[in-house]
Amino acid sequence: MRSIRTHPLLNPRAFAEGWRERLGGYPEDLEHEPHLLAAIAWLVRAQDATPDGGISRAFSLAWHSYFGRRGWQPSYPETTGYIIPTLYGAARRLGRGELSARAERAARWEIEIQLPTGAVRGGVIGEPPTPAVFNTGQVLLGWLAAFEESGEGGGGGAFADAARRAACYLVATLDADGHWRRGNSRFARADATLYNTRTAWALAEAGARLDDAQFTDAAARSLRAAAGLQTPNGWLPSCCLSDPEQPLLHTLAYAIRGFVEGGRVLGDEQLIQAAERAAAALRARVDADGWMPGRYHSDWSPAAEWSCLTGQAQMANNWMRLAEITGDPKWLEPVPDVLSFLKRTQNRRSRERGVRGGIKGSWPVSGEYGAYEVLNWATKFFADALMRHEAIRTGGLRSASPVSALA
């Protein structure tokens, strides 16, 4: 673990997290299941913390300058969307049907708030509903998972219809050269959204699962345009929410996953190779204790002294998906160390329900990304990674994964 700098806060929970980090973190169980159970329990509490069926964006350990309070934040449509396949996967893995019911409830809530254009709104509930391309792609993955689980005859028609409307919106806003310049969230820089490869992946999945070639063709155009921007060393430019010169591991990992899965759906080996180049560069940046920097320079050197826990969980998933898709076990090499690091950041004993079992934005908790917050998407990607790794450990690379390829 890295040496940790604490930030003096009056809130005792936030201070306690920072102090524990100075001591090296929390006890790690060698088995994944105790950590998985704690993470899923946190996601359940995050859904119960809202009045609408969506999942709370995060739990704030300290006074939040944007939300104006401490505690649970409002429902977040974007990440609720891609948590849906995680809940379905956990329902299968744990034999808990109520998790499938929660996933379906979230998917139906997403339909209720879908905009007339087919888009999904940016930001959290309570803000003005403005359309966001990336968010639309993430909820599209959730609707496709709900459709996959329920089937047309089992009530999945509504999910298919919502997914089709969302995909039509994405096609309509995609420019002829394959880039999304219109409809990007107000929280994102318009010139730095290469991570929309993950949106293109969702569009490719819609084309395959809804049997609509216009979706597949648009996805291919977008993914190949993005791949054309990659530099010889695997660098992915213009790929950050705030600082494209020093992008977050989180958004780099988004982009890599888009290439991995988009390449799989389209049968395009060049897209998978684009993912491999970037994933290999990041694999070389994993320390012996599993730590990774939260930002990078264009030569892949560290640009931060804190860790982006979301990005680390995403990369564990990315490396495992590359191993599953290519059959090459080399991609599994960094995964145990990264998962071990993430486990040691998970507080499973806190009396604070918004802390217990969740994954924070940064290590240390005062780091730049999601400072003093426990994030629903960090917790989601951690749960996915635990389930994936467990399946590989017990059944090998060709085993049926307990989580959908949509998760």
Side-chain angles (χ1 to χ4, degrees), residues 1-2 4 17-18 20-21 24-29 35 61 289-292 307-310 312-313 337-350 355-365 373-374 378-379 382:
M1 290 277 184
R2 285 292 169 282
I4 302 299
E17 289 297 307
R20 187 70 197 203
E21 289 169 349
Y26 296 92
E28 172 194 356
D29 198 297
H35 292 275
L61 280 159
D289 64 358
W291 181 89
M292 299 176 70
S307 167
C308 173
L309 299 181
T310 306
Q312 292 209 205
D337 288 339
V338 170
L339 289 182
S340 178
F341 173 85
L342 289 167
K343 285 178 176 182
R344 298 195 303 275
T345 73
Q346 185 190 33
N347 184 346
R348 292 181 288 148
R349 299 178 179 178
S350 176
V355 173
R356 188 170 67 248
I359 299 297
K360 295 178 283 290
S362 292
W363 180 276
V365 68
E373 292 179 302
V374 182
T379 307
F382 177 63

Side-chain angles (χ1 to χ4, degrees), residues 206-229:
R209 294 165 189 260
L210 301 177
D211 192 24
D212 195 320
Q214 70 165 327
F215 303 155
T216 307
D217 292 345
R221 188 166 78 249
S222 180
L223 285 162
R224 288 163 188 162
L229 299 176

